[in-house]
Amino acid sequence: MSGAPHLLTAREAGLVSCTRCTRVWPAGTSACGRCGKPLVSRDGYSLSRVWAWWIAGLMCYFPANLYPMLRTQVLFTVSEDTIVGGAIELAKYGSYFVALIILIASVAIPIGKFVAIAWLAVSVRRGSRARPQSRHRLYEIVEYIGRWSMIDVFVVAILTALVQLNIAASIKPGPAALAFALSVIFTMLSAQAFDPRLIWDRDTSDDGTDRA
Amino acid sequence: MHDTDIARADPAELIACPQCDALYRARMPEHGARAVCARCHTVLIAPKRRAGMTIIMLAAAVLVLVLGAVWFPFLKISRQGFVNEATLLDAAMSFTGGPLLVLSLAVTALIVLVPLARAVLTIYVLAPVVFDRPPPPGALRLFALSEALRPWSMAEIFALGCAVALVKVADLAQLSFGPAFWMFAALVFLTVIQDRWMCRWSVWHALEQGQAARRERAPA
Ligand SMILES: [Zn+2]
Ligand SMILES: [Zn+2]
């Protein structure tokens, strides 16, 4: 069997489905009678919301990388580390594995996520030669993996709470912690705003329009 | 898989894939079997035997562990005679002062309040159903809330964060795990198992039927 079979969709059957509880209703129903979610056959505003959160996330991502994440004070020397700087520092002391985790969670995943969401949003508008299966797989990965970027914010929180040893050593959070947390939250909202059903609609001429 | 008169069927007997909108007749598969979307492979229905009871027990365990993990220290640090222990609340509230206070509240919500709320909601919604009673008032809306909170429950990410923090300050001071860290590790494990046992369609279906039965019994 090659490719996915063509199946009747709820929209083609003159029905509208609830994406939260999978219940199906006659077209024109305004809210799901089971879970209360407002119903739209295809969310026409989905892409606008995706782009709005995407831009907000990207705007927070720049200060998150430019400003220091941590201020470490050991005896009388104070050092400030950005995300990438901190990872390089770790690698210098031989903790390659942890440096790699930080780089993947804080650099590779966020950037990959921005690119992936943008590509998905553009591809449902313009059409794409990539199979819907692959695009859907990408969407699932983005949805699943996005939360893990929060790890760096948690590490800063843990270190700040823990490393308060008077003058021997202390750690304070930098402004990048807030910017980074916001960036992760905004990109999660961007991915959540995306309506994956748009990927599967063959007829690209009426995507985004709402027949319900 | 796909019959032509599906469009004429009662919508209540159908299920649409939330990811690709493909339409199917909702049939309860055998316990342990799964109904998967033929097009995008999203798991649609996956009932398990005695899942309700298992999920409630897991949620109760999560509740106890989160409350415990809040009070006990999860990491201990020592350097040149200075010793410090951090509890979960210390970590959550560590961003003090100015705009970072917002971050403190957000972190507290993500690692303590959201997991706690989800455990309480799960028990409240499912316990009556498991004991063959009608679902409590507002069960459908509260289950919807619990589902909406799912991506924001980040206890497992916090647990990995502890491990990273441990390595990060290894050259700065001596660190050791406290009891709360192990509680958190167990919590991560329980949350994952609970997620695997939960067949969302079965829950929605049971709650809907319970609600209908309650409405019928109520005097007009
Ligand atoms: Zn619904
Ligand atoms: Zn599907």
Side-chain angles (χ1 to χ4, degrees), chain A residues 15-16 21-26 34, chain B residues 6-16 23-27 45 201 204-205 208-209:
Chain A
L15 299 164
V16 56
C21 73
T22 65
R23 180 81 150 84
V24 180
W25 302 93
R34 180 151 80 178
Chain B
I6 193 166
R8 283 193 295 277
D10 176 9
E13 288 168 10
L14 302 175
I15 178 172
L23 200 57
Y24 303 96
R25 271 176 201 285
R27 260 187 233 101
I45 309 177
W201 184 82
W204 287 118
H205 192 67
E208 189 182 35
Q209 302 217 309

Side-chain angles (χ1 to χ4, degrees), chain A residues 18 20-23 25 32 34-37 39:
Chain A
C18 174
R20 184 155 66 197
C21 73
T22 65
R23 180 81 150 84
W25 302 93
C32 177
R34 180 151 80 178
C35 73
K37 186 171 177 152
L39 295 176

Side-chain angles (χ1 to χ4, degrees), chain B residues 181-198:
Chain B
F181 174 79
W182 302 109
M183 288 176 161
F184 240 84
L187 197 74
V188 173
F189 191 60
L190 291 183
T191 317
V192 172
I193 298 180
Q194 192 185 19
D195 237 41
R196 307 207 75 173
W197 274 85
M198 174 92 84

Side-chain angles (χ1 to χ4, degrees), chain A residues 53-71:
Chain A
W53 289 123
W54 188 89
I55 291 167
L58 193 64
M59 275 164 58
C60 290
Y61 188 66
F62 289 115
N65 277 282
L66 295 175
Y67 287 101
M69 195 86 166
L70 282 178
R71 286 199 176 103

Side-chain angles (χ1 to χ4, degrees), chain B residues 15-31:
Chain B
I15 178 172
C17 173
Q19 297 283 318
C20 75
D21 213 29
L23 200 57
Y24 303 96
R25 271 176 201 285
R27 260 187 233 101
M28 191 63 102
E30 302 255 304
H31 279 281

Side-chain angles (χ1 to χ4, degrees), chain A residues 7-11 17 19 21-24 34-35 42 74 98 136 147 157 159 161-162 168 181 192 196-197 200, chain B residues 6 11-12 16 18-21 23-24 39-40 75 84 91 94 103 140 151 153 156-157 167 172 175 201 204 208:
Chain A
L7 295 156
L8 191 70
T9 65
R11 190 226 280 246
S17 65
T19 50
C21 73
T22 65
R23 180 81 150 84
V24 180
R34 180 151 80 178
C35 73
R42 292 295 177 275
V74 180
V98 180
H136 185 252
R147 320 156 56 233
L159 292 180
L162 196 64
Q192 283 181 11
R197 294 175 300 183
W200 297 91
Chain B
I6 193 166
Q19 297 283 318
C20 75
D21 213 29
L23 200 57
Y24 303 96
R39 187 152 76 159
C40 73
L75 281 176
N84 190 25
S94 62
L103 197 53
L140 284 161
S153 174
E156 74 272 29
I157 301 172
V167 182
L172 204 69
L175 274 161
W201 184 82
W204 287 118
E208 189 182 35

